[in-house]
């Protein structure tokens, strides 16, 4: 690839891994990662941005590979002391991780935009990619379940995705302006990748922001999605469970159908090769399982090569 | 002493040590410690109450004996991570200590009173004394110096008491209501002790709350002050430096004069015995240096016996 801009849309763990692979194989400062903020919430008075932090920690090598959230080599003195004071401990906040939440909250409350804060943090953490929240406006994913409507973190962390999902809402998305530089990056991109994040919980809130969806529609570059399912199962998280609960076929082609005409190509895991003919857009078969850094780079290279091929075809 | 109530007015380190001695020698739940909040401030979005925390940590055995603030066996992962994000690090907040600040701030912002929060924390930490802030209203000590007016923590921590003090203000004190149960405790007390805290920085903000000052005036029990100076020097902190800068004689009798007719007796360190005749109220000579727990109990017993003696004389 030349030094043209590449945009990745990412949620948490799976998306962050591909973003990391992209950053590693691309020329410096050509990657823009636009991150879901539908999971953001206030907890203990702190503004928590789970997906942004997973992306930041992953891109600077601080991510905790065991949990998929938080930092490696974390300590838990704060949580222990909080428990002794009767505080809420269902959402785990590590000692070092707290710095991110306290500093972000301080800056937000002093009037700074989330996008400026994230950009500054990325810079200070030595990350050589642009990391942007999808919007500076509040968007809050709510999960309709057979037990009622739940705030995202209530569903995801406190209830550990146990309630049966009947629907999803992205409150605030319809009136949220996308971050300007995210739209600008999409406009000038050579390729746009929808990372293998949960399509319903992590990517959908982004697509629910009208300006971001429109920017993807208007993009000259190919938009390709990388399948978050392998063999009808997600590597991590409740994608398959939610699809089943929503009455959807639990398979990669359903993900391609879900993105519809927003995408120009689909990266399907090679284990699902037999399903390729159920997808009516160009498909790239690849080993999409990312266990180590080499895997991340491999999936990044395969996705970029696929995008480049589609681009050449679109121009031709 | 019988099971009658004893009230101690305390600032940070020195006051907390005497309060601990009192709690140890008194029958359970007969001690009320009223604590200065003039040092309180918002930092990084958190409500910090330095003197209250020093008292709480001291009374539950968690205090850090090296620093005089914070907790023993503290870790500093948060501060290190905050520095890497470019955050403010001049005010040191330990990982476990943060739980107190975050939980207090959360409860304050949800509408709870500081006094309720402190009472609950004291209970959860297993403290068998009543710990009360002097007021639930904001009082902020400001230090007039030759470099201008400084917020207390700017003077005390950031500038480490280096600027020359020309005056002190206790903003908000004049219109602050004292905590009701502090006044009630003073009314029913058998003795009231002004701990060996800094009279200008730690005790004066309390005496600047009109209702608290009046309660002391009206108290039937003897009010006695324990000298914070030994041999013209403070065990810890800038008491002597401030007295010199304010043009006051740097000696224990000046402290007695400072409290004036508010006190009925003065506990003078035995090293200052030669100065006893400069004090025109009853004086008790004692070894007031508190290096270990035995010392705290010794000073507590001496002060209580002195108060009991004065009380008997007042009744007679």
């Amino acid at each position: 690839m030349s030094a043209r801009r590449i945009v990745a849309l990412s949620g948490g763990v799976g998306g962050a891994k591909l973003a990391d692979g992209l950053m590693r194989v691309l020329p410096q400062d050509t990657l823009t990662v636009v991150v879901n903020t539908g999971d953001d919430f206030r907890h203990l008075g702190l503004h928590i941005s789970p997906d942004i932090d997973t992306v930041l920690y992953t891109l600077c090598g601080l991510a905790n590979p065991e949990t998929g959230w938080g930092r490696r080599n974390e300590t838990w003195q704060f949580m222990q002391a909080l428990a002794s004071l009767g505080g809420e401990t269902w959402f785990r906040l590590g000692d070092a991780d707290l710095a991110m939440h306290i500093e972000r909250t301080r800056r937000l409350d002093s009037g700074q935009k989330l996008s400026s804060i994230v950009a500054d943090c990325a810079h200070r953490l030595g990350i050589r990619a642009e990391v942007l929240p999808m919007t500076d406006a509040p968007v809050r994913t709510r999960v309709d379940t057979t037990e009622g409507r739940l705030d995202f973190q209530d569903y995801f962390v406190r209830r550990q995705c146990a309630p049966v999902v009947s629907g999803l809402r992205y409150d605030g998305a319809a009136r949220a302006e996308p971050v300007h530089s995210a739209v600008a990056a999409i406009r000038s991109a050579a390729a746009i990748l929808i990372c293998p994040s949960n399509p319903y919980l992590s990517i959908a809130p982004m697509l629910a922001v009208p300006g971001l969806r429109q920017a993807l529609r208007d993009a000259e570059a190919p938009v390709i999605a990388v399948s978050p399912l392998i063999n009808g199962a997600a590597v991590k998280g409740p994608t398959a469970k939610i699809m089943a609960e929503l009455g959807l076929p639990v398979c990669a082609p359903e993900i391609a159908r879900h993105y519809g005409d927003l995408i120009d190509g689909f990266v399907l895991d090679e284990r699902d090769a037999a399903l390729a003919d159920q997808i009516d857009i160009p498909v790239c078969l690849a080993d999409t399982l990312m266990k180590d850094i080499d895997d991340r780079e491999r999936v990044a290279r395969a996705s970029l090569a696929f995008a480049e091929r589609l681009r050449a075809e679109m121009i031709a």
Side-chain angles (χ1 to χ4, degrees), chain A residues 186-306:
Chain A
I186 288 169
R187 280 204 187 115
S188 69
I192 298 151
L193 305 182
I194 298 180
C195 289
S197 292
N198 188 311
Y200 311 96
L201 297 180
S202 301
I203 304 297
M206 289 194 257
L207 303 182
V209 174
L212 209 53
R213 188 177 194 95
Q214 193 57 45
L216 290 176
R217 286 203 184 288
D218 296 344
E220 286 180 21
V223 180
I224 70 171
V226 179
S227 176
L229 289 185
I230 298 177
N231 254 334
V235 176
K236 193 173 168 67
T239 305
K241 179 173 183 287
I242 288 174
M243 292 177 80
E245 290 166 0
L246 292 176
L248 301 169
V250 185
C251 61
E254 176 57 32
I255 308 282
R257 267 192 294 276
H258 166 77
Y259 288 131
D261 59 5
L262 214 55
I263 59 173
D264 303 301
F266 193 79
V267 178
L268 181 69
D269 190 82
E270 57 192 19
R271 296 164 192 80
D272 288 325
L275 305 176
D277 59 5
Q278 296 178 28
I279 301 171
D280 57 6
I281 54 170
V283 164
C284 163
L285 288 177
D287 175 2
T288 64
L289 190 62
M290 293 180 282
K291 293 197 164 228
D292 58 24
I293 301 288
D294 285 348
D295 294 336
R296 296 177 188 180
E297 295 188 4
R298 185 195 64 239
V299 180
R301 282 203 185 87
S303 305
L304 290 169
F306 179 45

Side-chain angles (χ1 to χ4, degrees), chain A residues 35-89:
Chain A
V35 187
N36 171 44
T37 57
D39 303 6
D40 287 23
F41 73 130
R42 281 254 168 182
H43 181 61
L44 305 177
L46 305 174
H47 181 104
I48 318 269
S49 295
D51 283 354
I52 285 175
D53 289 350
T54 294
V55 168
L56 289 176
Y57 289 149
T58 300
L59 294 185
C60 73
L62 284 176
N64 184 332
E66 310 296 318
T67 54
W69 52 267
R71 298 170 59 129
R72 64 171 72 228
N73 304 321
E74 186 59 280
T75 58
W76 303 96
Q77 300 303 309
F78 165 74
M79 288 308 289
Q80 214 173 310
L82 186 65
S84 76
L85 296 175
E88 282 189 59
T89 55

